[in-house]
Amino acid sequence: MKWRDSWRFSAQVLLRHKTRTALLSFAVAIGVCSVLLLTSVGEGARHYVSKEFASLGSDILIILPGKKETSGGSIPFYSTTPRDLTIEDAQAVKHLSSVKSVAPVIAGTALVSHKNKSREVIAIGSTQDFLKVRNLTLSHGRGFSQKSADLAESICIIGAQLKDDLFGQQKAMGQWLKIAERRYRVVGILEQRGESLGLDMRDMVIIPIRSAESLFNSPALFRILIALKPRQDESLTEQRILSLIKKRHDNEEDITIVSQNAMMSSFDRISNFLTVAIGVIASISLVVAGFLIMNVSYISVSKRQQEIGLLKAIGATATEVRVIFLTESALLIGLGVCLGLAAGYTIAALFNQFIASFVLIIPWWAALASGLMSFVIGLLFTWLPAAKAASQDPVSAMRGN
């Protein structure tokens, strides 16, 4: 029997049993679609975090108060050290040759109001460099002047959403608003952007660092953001910063420096592992589909004994009979894989069409691996029923024994 005859014969069998063909193909399709969608969630999460880090710009270092020990423990985002980071520490770091911009940050929540409207939002105290380091742009107005780094000026920059909530369609530029009972004049409005690393840029207010120091009655910095000059040695700059702050803090190393690139590398390793692990878990559905194909194949062999006996009686060898059943399985799996790929990519495209905040990205290897696994599992689980059919005695099979 030629291979074309085998394929034609198997296709005719599948067409005669439309319900069985549809159910088995649907089972394979569900398995393939599950692998695609679950891995796309992991890949989408990696893409989302990469985009969030990219919004910070490139070559960013973050100085946090408190020392993270090698014995364990989380990064001290909230200081437990007896010595605080100060604005003077940030000014000293700015003089390093490899440093491009330095943005000291004081953060807190405050009630912001204008006339009879008020909102409690995050208030950020920083300098003009904060806009540069965080890659922020203004839709209206200007940023802070150089003297605002040393003077507690009563000016502020507000987010687009905060502007709409407090001023509506009215002009906000040059208007006065209250932040915790202190009056600030609006000199700039941030361009519509959205969240970045959990901080909603649309719903925040930025004031000069000295004004925040007075507003929150604290000289302690929440953190210091640093942008490096192009093509600088990141690790060398970290060592210089550690040495500089150590000298300023009575020879005690009491800060933690977090590198944007190091965080991205760590997250990539974790997300890649999780994506693969999710894909492996999702592939269990393919194994279930394989068991279903094997059981149905056994039933098919028992119901087609006379057909098998007739094939062997007219000269079909055991190998050719085995090939017929494996070919049927391959056609079923191929149909299921095509349906699963189409369903997976369609669902991902529809999701991305209606939900813009998170993008499902199907990795190419997931589509390839799910297809290959489907064929391997399906053919392996069909081998035993096919072997049973091939070992049938022609006379006994034609009698239905």
Side-chain angles (χ1 to χ4, degrees), residues 10 22 77 168 170 177 226 257 277 283 298 322 343 380 397:
S10 299
F77 285 100
Q170 297 179 0
L177 52 76
I226 301 170
I257 299 178
S283 64
Y298 270 122
R322 186 185 299 113
L380 282 176

Side-chain angles (χ1 to χ4, degrees), residues 220-260:
L221 297 181
F222 176 58
R223 63 187 65 183
I224 300 174
L225 305 180
I226 301 170
L228 303 183
K229 293 178 180 177
R231 296 181 296 277
Q232 294 296 322
D233 190 324
E234 189 177 273
S235 59
L236 179 60
T237 302
E238 286 186 30
Q239 291 303 316
R240 288 175 178 173
I241 293 172
L242 286 171
S243 178
L244 175 62
I245 301 298
K246 186 176 180 179
K247 288 179 182 178
R248 294 182 55 83
H249 289 194
D250 299 328
N251 210 35
E252 184 177 347
E253 192 173 303
D254 56 0
I255 62 169
T256 297
I257 299 178
V258 179
S259 162
Q260 177 191 3

Side-chain angles (χ1 to χ4, degrees), residues 183-302:
R183 298 176 73 243
Y184 293 84
R185 186 165 57 88
V186 179
V187 296
I189 301 172
L190 290 174
E191 194 174 71
Q192 188 78 256
R193 176 166 170 177
E195 289 193 10
S196 175
L197 295 179
L199 186 63
D200 193 345
M201 297 299 178
R202 301 165 300 182
D203 206 19
M204 63 179 290
V205 59
I206 306 172
I207 60 177
I209 187 71
R210 293 296 182 182
S211 299
E213 191 178 41
S214 174
L215 179 68
F216 295 113
N217 193 28
S218 173
L221 297 181
F222 176 58
R223 63 187 65 183
I224 300 174
L225 305 180
I226 301 170
L228 303 183
K229 293 178 180 177
R231 296 181 296 277
Q232 294 296 322
D233 190 324
E234 189 177 273
S235 59
L236 179 60
T237 302
E238 286 186 30
Q239 291 303 316
R240 288 175 178 173
I241 293 172
L242 286 171
S243 178
L244 175 62
I245 301 298
K246 186 176 180 179
K247 288 179 182 178
R248 294 182 55 83
H249 289 194
D250 299 328
N251 210 35
E252 184 177 347
E253 192 173 303
D254 56 0
I255 62 169
T256 297
I257 299 178
V258 179
S259 162
Q260 177 191 3
N261 293 330
M263 285 191 292
M264 273 301 303
S265 298
S266 298
F267 182 81
D268 274 343
R269 288 194 296 270
I270 294 171
S271 64
N272 288 336
F273 173 79
L274 289 177
T275 301
V276 173
I278 289 172
V280 171
I281 294 172
S283 64
I284 294 174
S285 57
L286 292 176
V287 177
V288 174
F291 275 109
L292 182 60
I293 291 173
M294 181 178 69
N295 291 333
V296 173
S297 296
Y298 270 122
I299 295 172
S300 177
V301 169
S302 63

Side-chain angles (χ1 to χ4, degrees), residues 40 60 79 111 130 227 281 286 307 329 364 397 400:
S40 72
I60 302 297
S79 174
L111 186 66
F130 181 78
I281 294 172
L286 292 176
E307 180 184 325
S329 179
W364 64 268

Side-chain angles (χ1 to χ4, degrees), residues 15 28 34 55 76 99 158 162 193 262 266 331 338 347 373 383-384:
L15 289 174
V28 175
S34 299
S55 69
V99 172
I158 61 176
L162 184 59
R193 176 166 170 177
S266 298
L331 286 173
C338 291
I347 293 172
M373 282 185 63
W383 183 267
L384 289 177

